[in-house]
Amino acid sequence: VITGAGSGIGRGIAQVCAEAGMKLVLSGYNSAPLQALAQELSNSETLVIPTDVAQLEQVEALAVSTLDRFGQVDFLFNNAGIGPLGRTQDTSIEDWRWTMSVNLWGPINGVHVFLPIMEQQGFGHINSTASESGLYGTSHLAAYNVSKFGVVGLMQSLERDLRAANSSLSASVFCPSAVK
């Protein structure tokens, strides 16, 4: 399951997973880029599910559709993200809320919904895309920085909780720099 699969890193993850022969659930806010990617990856079995990761009910529906189609979830890539630019003092409350809802609550919702499924299966891996901006703050990206710091903390905590429980599951965080 790949959120934010319609472009950028999510699209790249989907392409690599398709080359590895995986069955794919392509998820994102806009349907058209997901449909185009599914056509491009026509040699792979794909399921396209438009999803607003900020909405818990939509992430729950994503999981139900995934299980209905494939019966299990091996990997969850919490990749959907946004990054409005602006000085800290100029960032509106609406942009703060929007950024947190997608960039931080999206991965929280993904972990909340998919972790119990993977625990019941006895296998699985959850990866969340943060950013190098989740490791140190940069100018003109305050809301983005804060959200990505949260993702790093979420995934570090999850990984340590899984290790402490001797779980067969695993978790990781991806912190790339700027990409096309």
Side-chain angles (χ1 to χ4, degrees), residues 88-162:
T88 305
Q89 59 269 39
D90 297 331
T91 302
S92 69
I93 289 298
E94 291 78 24
D95 278 346
W96 276 99
R97 286 188 178 126
W98 178 49
T99 304
M100 293 302 141
S101 72
V102 174
N103 292 1
L104 182 55
W105 277 100
I108 291 169
N109 289 338
V111 168
H112 178 75
V113 170
F114 284 91
L115 182 61
I117 294 166
M118 291 178 174
E119 286 177 325
Q120 186 174 14
Q121 294 172 166
F123 60 89
H125 182 85
I126 298 175
N127 174 270
S128 293
T129 302
S131 168
E132 69 176 348
S133 294
L135 304 173
Y136 57 88
T138 54
S139 68
H140 291 82
L141 286 170
Y144 182 80
N145 293 335
V146 170
S147 68
K148 295 304 185 172
F149 267 85
V151 172
V152 170
L154 169 68
M155 298 312 293
Q156 287 179 334
S157 295
L158 175 58
E159 193 281 329
R160 286 170 176 87
D161 288 341
L162 294 172

Side-chain angles (χ1 to χ4, degrees), residues 13-28:
I13 292 169
Q15 291 167 329
V16 168
C17 290
E19 289 171 12
M22 295 181 184
K23 297 174 184 175
L24 305 175
V25 178
L26 307 175
S27 176

Side-chain angles (χ1 to χ4, degrees), residues 50-64 109 112-113:
T51 306
D52 179 353
V53 296
Q55 304 301 316
L56 178 60
E57 309 79 38
Q58 290 190 33
V59 176
E60 291 169 336
L62 172 64
V64 168
N109 289 338
H112 178 75
V113 170

